[in-house]
Amino acid sequence: MPLGWRWNAPVLLCCAFCLAGLRPALGQTVPIAIVPVEGVELTGGMNVAQGKAMITSSGSVTAGEHPATITLPHRGNLRICSTTTVHLTADSSVDAAQPATATGGGTTSTASAQREAPGLMMALGRGALEANFATGANSDVILTPDFRILISGPGTAQVQVRLGVKGDTCVDNRGPHAPYVTVTSIFDGGAYRVQPEQRVMFQHGSLREVVDNEKESCGCPPETPKTLLGNEFPLAQSEGLAPLSTPLPNAVPPGAQAAQATVQLEYDGTHAAAATAATAPPASAKLPAEAEPLAAAPTDRAVKKGFFHNFAHFFKKLFGG
């Protein structure tokens, strides 16, 4: 054995032990979510680098005018609809820093990392989200004000959840490999399993009012470009997923004051009869000359009748009739 190898062997052995000791510490820096910082609001513990925020254990994401896509390392992504706030928290009972290794001390495979990934809790107070990620041994939870939605493996989650007015909650378990989705009421108890390819609406936040053939989508409404008049698609605003547009003020030329109505309309019913009597003319008053009725003029028929009558009377006397 070369002499140099005998002298370097203890050093190499010490380095190996040092790397083994640093391995758990390095594993703790693996984020539970990666979010682009543009167009969103972020709070919680995170590290920001190269325009992306890495949420380590917990944090909240609020989407802006457009939906935001969150990357879940080794799993998939989470799409948050516009103006929606989602609080993310990793399951603290699972140590994500020590993933399972292959037999014989091999490197960690992607499948093993998915199996050992801690469960993710997504708290949703309003709005909607679309979950697209691989499930594992640890279940994920979507928490709403009325329900606890449990997503369990095996399968690939394509779950959409939307909260409407008066507690209406829409849950869609999509995809050919849909996972096991169970909805539990926080206040009333009971549970409801959403079958694969089933879209359910829980009205008024109750498991007793279930519409199992909901027609409207449970995910983000489609983004439609503005028309020439500037009107946007109203579905997002009606569901509270988009901010309402500010109405335009009245157009007034610069330096001019807008016209305002200052005349007040008044009516006093107690003086109505007196006012009417004061304006009417007295009965004995003589009308003006132009208002007096004219005497009827004799007609031509009356004149002609008198002439022939006198002429006939003359001939009657002449001939002794």
Side-chain angles (χ1 to χ4, degrees):
M1 179 179 296
L3 182 62
W5 174 255
R6 289 200 306 267
W7 282 101
N8 293 334
V11 177
L12 295 176
L13 185 61
C14 291
C15 292
F17 279 109
C18 291
L19 292 176
L22 291 175
R23 187 175 179 182
L26 294 175
Q28 293 177 359
T29 61
V30 177
I32 63 173
I34 302 175
V35 190
V37 298
E38 184 178 359
V40 299
E41 295 182 5
L42 303 171
T43 58
M46 61 190 67
N47 299 321
V48 180
Q50 298 180 354
K52 295 182 179 180
M54 293 168 284
I55 302 176
T56 54
S57 59
S58 64
S60 64
V61 182
T62 302
E65 184 180 356
H66 302 284
T69 301
I70 301 175
T71 300
L72 306 179
H74 306 295
R75 302 191 61 186
N77 62 74
L78 180 67
R79 190 167 184 251
I80 302 177
C81 303
S82 60
T83 70
T84 300
T85 300
V86 176
H87 301 273
L88 303 175
T89 304
D91 187 0
S92 59
S93 63
V94 178
D95 187 7
Q98 297 181 7
T101 56
T103 304
T107 58
T108 304
S109 63
T110 303
S112 299
Q114 292 176 355
R115 287 195 302 268
E116 295 299 324
L120 185 64
M121 185 183 72
M122 300 153 278
L124 179 67
R126 54 171 296 276
L129 60 82
E130 300 176 356
N132 303 279
F133 52 77
T135 60
N138 303 302
S139 300
D140 303 286
V141 177
I142 300 178
L143 192 64
T144 71
D146 300 298
F147 301 109
R148 182 176 182 268
I149 305 173
L150 186 68
I151 304 175
S152 303
T156 302
Q158 296 183 18
V159 179
Q160 298 180 353
V161 178
R162 172 171 52 85
L163 302 183
V165 295
K166 299 181 180 180
D168 295 346
T169 304
C170 182
V171 181
D172 191 358
N173 190 15
R174 309 174 63 187
H177 306 288
Y180 198 94
V181 177
T182 306
V183 181
T184 305
S185 177
I186 297 177
F187 302 101
D188 301 333
Y192 186 99
R193 181 187 176 188
V194 182
Q195 302 293 333
E197 299 293 347
Q198 185 183 15
R199 183 185 301 166
V200 181
M201 171 66 77
F202 300 96
Q203 296 180 340
H204 305 100
S206 175
L207 294 178
R208 299 182 179 90
E209 302 180 39
V210 180
V211 179
D212 59 357
N213 56 351
E214 174 64 22
K215 297 181 180 180
E216 297 292 336
S217 173
C218 296
C220 301
E223 293 188 83
T224 304
K226 297 182 179 180
T227 61
L228 297 178
L229 298 179
N231 296 326
E232 298 183 356
F233 190 71
L235 178 59
Q237 296 179 351
S238 63
E239 294 293 341
L241 303 180
L244 297 177
S245 58
T246 304
L248 297 177
N250 296 330
V252 179
Q257 185 177 3
Q260 298 180 357
T262 58
V263 179
Q264 298 182 357
L265 300 179
E266 296 182 359
Y267 171 73
D268 191 353
T270 58
H271 302 288
T276 304
T279 55
S284 60
K286 183 177 179 61
L287 296 175
E290 59 273 9
E292 295 182 357
L294 300 177
T299 59
D300 295 341
R301 181 179 179 183
V303 175
K304 293 180 180 181
K305 182 177 180 181
F307 172 76
F308 281 105
H309 178 72
N310 295 334
F311 187 75
H313 181 69
F314 170 75
F315 275 99
K316 184 177 180 180
K317 292 181 65 178
L318 181 64
F319 294 99

